[in-house]
Amino acid sequence: MQHHNKLYIDGNWVESTSDDWLEVINPATESVISRVPAGSSDDVDRAVQAASRAFDAWASTPAAERRALLLRAADLMQAREQELIAAVSASMGCPQHIAGWLQVEGPIEAMRLFADQVGITEETEELGHSLVWREAVGVCGFINPWNYPLHQFVGKVGAALAAGCTMVVKPSEQTPLQDYLMAEIFHEAGLPAGVFNLVPGRGTEVGRALCEHPLVDMMSFTGSTRAGIEIAKACAPTVKRVTQELGGKSPYIVTADCDLTAAVRYGVDDVMINSGQTCTALTRMLVPRSRIGEALDIVRTRVAEIEVGMGESAFMGPVSSRRQWQQVQDYIQIGMDEGATPVCGGLGKPQGLEQGYFARPTVFAGVTNDMRIAREEIFGPVLCIIAYDDLEQAVAIANDTPYGLSSGVFAKDNTAALAIARRIRAGLCFVNGGEFNYQAPFGGFKQSGNGREFSHHGVEEFTEIKSAQLAVHAS
Ligand code: NAD
């Protein structure tokens, strides 16, 4: 990676007009490992102008050519997989052996899956005397967070390329490195100049300039609900389409008649993986009151097995920044002040890990759904266990949240679990230990966002629908 002092605009590596820089810090060592330009609004303007110039040609490029380019990009990602893993791991802290399967393999698969969606703009539907088809929405602006930086990149960029859009990407201040690799990959794959542009920078400068730019047709954002609201407001005067993947406080209903060991272990792992920094994390585990004691024994056993660190057997690395570490500590203190019972973990760093932003896997029992630790997104390795008396109450607690991104149900079989899943107001439901699927749509209800990513639903977000009314007497 030789281009970290540049931006990628119009097919070239160029200087930023700003002299401001962003430091990339390895959260496992607390040391600065790289720096990238903090782009300016002038840089955004140059990039958007390039994307706008490239739009017509790219949108009208035959689907087969777009498909070939996406597949070439996926092959190059595969070839550079180790570099992608190293970039993600070093900047956000996921141990390398986990970053491989959790952060990088899926996005490579997703890029290939998007290649199969390119036909979306070549299909025509007949509705009475009208022909209806989809066209690329135009120039897109993308703003991403740091927790799954390649996943979020591909969910937006892969889908938009498949639909025929051009784009400007702003990675998180903390995790720009894999985006630089992706710019190199697209360049090598032969993506036409201007289709993909990379302008790292701050949300308040680069992010805002993208939202306000009159030539940007659509903004797609992943991050906090706070920033999502600001972005939607900034986009309103130019009436952009806005899709948002925001926060969550997802419920996980464990039923009385399920395999409790499997259910609880799955729930603990789901929260602790990626150090709790997963927007879909099932952070509110709802357990029948009659089985709480057993469940807590299973929790203690599993958490005791979890190794924190960066080695080959570590399950959890550090959280991504000093700020995030402090936020986790603050919430653990809040949980104790609110009267929740710490079952394991707690304040401070795990023994022997004084350097790096390592936090302890923490589980609270005796949590009620009105506590702040049950209502607010902690975004760290903190699991809340809430007791319920009957299924009606469990569903009510599950839905008593401003969020609606994800959910989980573990019941005696899929039929029983799906009946509960249908009652939860959330965009995803992990059923009986189900795994993430890149072929399925991803996105939230309520204050967890608007729109969907991945699958053909995710590509449709990047299209406009057009209808042509034919004169009925004409042949
Ligand atoms: P953040 O919202 O502070 O930042 C995300 C991105 O938005 C960054 O690139 C930042 O520069 C930019 N940004 C911030 N303020 C902006 C503004 N006013 N205008 C334009 N851009 C702005 O979030 P974060 O700290 O990076 O990520 C953690 C949060 O993101 C958590 O709340 C988490 O749940 C959420 N998240 C959600 C999903 C999802 O898919 N739903 C995925 C990952 C993270």
Side-chain angles (χ1 to χ4, degrees):
M1 282 182 271
Q2 301 105 25
H3 306 297
H4 286 171
N5 56 345
K6 301 267 174 54
L7 315 172
Y8 186 70
I9 296 179
D10 209 8
N12 294 304
W13 292 101
V14 299
E15 305 276 341
S16 168
T17 60
S18 108
D19 54 8
D20 189 12
W21 295 86
L22 301 170
E23 286 186 337
V24 182
I25 295 170
N26 183 329
T29 61
E30 304 182 33
S31 54
V32 176
I33 52 168
S34 184
R35 64 171 203 165
V36 301
S40 65
S41 49
D42 288 344
D43 296 330
V44 170
D45 185 53
R46 277 193 292 163
V48 172
Q49 299 280 356
S52 182
R53 283 193 302 274
F55 176 68
D56 279 346
W58 179 243
S60 54
T61 298
E65 256 178 68
R66 290 208 305 274
R67 180 170 190 276
L69 262 158
L70 280 164
L71 289 176
R72 221 158 31 239
D75 287 345
L76 289 166
M77 288 172 79
Q78 191 81 64
R80 299 182 72 173
E81 186 179 5
Q82 290 311 316
E83 288 173 79
L84 287 166
I85 292 170
V88 170
S89 174
S91 57
M92 59 71 63
C94 187
Q96 288 216 16
H97 73 101
I98 290 180
W101 63 263
L102 185 68
Q103 297 261 4
V104 175
E105 282 171 19
I108 297 173
E109 179 201 346
M111 191 64 96
R112 290 213 170 88
L113 290 169
F114 281 133
D116 290 332
Q117 300 294 336
V118 291
I120 190 166
T121 52
E122 297 191 342
E123 291 156 12
T124 305
E125 188 186 8
E126 269 187 60
L127 291 176
H129 64 281
S130 297
L131 298 181
V132 180
W133 66 89
R134 288 177 182 273
E135 297 180 0
V137 68
V139 175
C140 300
F142 296 147
I143 301 178
N144 275 326
W146 42 259
N147 59 333
Y148 287 89
L150 188 63
H151 162 99
Q152 286 132 356
F153 177 100
V154 171
K156 295 172 174 55
V157 172
L161 289 174
C165 295
T166 60
M167 64 213 70
V168 181
V169 177
K170 189 201 93 60
S172 161
E173 291 87 327
Q174 290 171 234
T175 52
L177 303 183
Q178 70 293 319
D179 286 29
Y180 275 85
L181 283 168
M182 290 306 300
E184 292 181 358
I185 283 170
F186 287 136
H187 192 87
E188 193 181 338
L191 198 65
V195 172
F196 170 87
N197 303 276
L198 176 65
V199 182
R202 301 183 200 284
T204 43
E205 176 82 17
V206 171
R208 197 164 179 94
L210 276 171
C211 295
E212 291 176 351
H213 203 294
L215 291 180
V216 174
D217 299 286
M218 170 173 171
M219 288 299 301
S220 176
F221 167 73
T222 300
S224 63
T225 300
R226 173 203 64 77
I229 292 167
E230 283 176 28
I231 284 166
K233 284 182 182 166
C235 288
T238 45
V239 199
K240 290 179 183 25
R241 180 179 303 176
V242 181
T243 56
Q244 300 153 308
E245 299 290 346
L246 308 176
K249 194 72 195 179
S250 299
Y252 175 41
I253 298 180
V254 171
T255 66
D257 53 1
C258 77
D259 174 348
L260 196 67
T261 304
V264 171
R265 289 180 73 94
Y266 172 84
V268 170
D269 287 3
D270 179 82
V271 170
M272 301 307 167
I273 195 82
N274 218 35
S275 304
Q277 303 162 119
T278 303
C279 41
T280 56
L282 304 172
T283 47
R284 291 184 296 141
M285 186 189 288
L286 276 51
V287 177
R289 202 175 299 280
S290 59
R291 303 200 70 181
I292 281 282
E294 278 170 85
L296 295 187
D297 286 343
I298 301 164
V299 164
R300 282 188 201 94
T301 305
R302 175 58 193 137
V303 172
E305 293 165 1
I306 290 179
E307 188 181 319
V308 184
M310 292 301 281
E312 277 299 308
S313 51
F315 186 76
M316 247 179 69
V319 295
S320 71
S321 64
R322 184 183 301 280
R323 188 190 69 161
Q324 202 65 24
W325 187 85
Q326 192 55 54
Q327 177 169 309
V328 171
Q329 304 305 305
D330 291 348
Y331 272 110
I332 293 173
Q333 186 62 54
I334 288 168
M336 292 190 295
D337 294 346
E338 286 178 312
T341 313
V343 177
C344 34
L347 291 169
K349 294 188 176 181
Q351 220 178 3
L353 291 170
E354 275 69 38
Q355 194 179 34
Y357 309 127
F358 294 95
R360 299 168 70 195
T362 297
V363 180
F364 280 111
V367 178
T368 54
N369 206 46
D370 56 352
M371 291 181 182
R372 282 184 65 191
I373 56 167
R375 301 206 75 77
E376 297 171 19
E377 187 174 53
I378 299 173
F379 227 52
V382 182
L383 168 63
C384 294
I385 298 190
I386 301 175
Y388 69 83
D389 295 312
D390 57 42
L391 209 51
E392 285 308 308
Q393 189 190 24
V395 171
I397 295 171
N399 287 330
D400 178 16
T401 168
Y403 294 114
L405 181 57
S406 181
S407 62
V409 178
F410 213 114
K412 69 175 189 311
D413 55 33
N414 280 351
T415 308
L418 284 167
I420 301 168
R422 287 182 183 281
R423 300 183 60 191
I424 302 177
R425 302 276 302 156
L428 293 103
C429 188
F430 291 89
V431 171
N432 291 337
E435 289 179 359
F436 192 87
N437 177 10
Y438 278 97
Q439 296 175 60
F442 175 89
F445 287 18
K446 301 199 276 183
Q447 290 181 29
S448 289
N450 289 297
R452 292 294 176 269
E453 291 190 331
F454 300 102
S455 81
H456 69 91
H457 299 283
V459 180
E460 283 169 11
E461 301 285 351
F462 293 99
T463 62
E464 290 279 19
I465 297 175
K466 184 180 279 184
S467 70
Q469 282 53 248
L470 306 184
V472 276
H473 53 270
S475 59

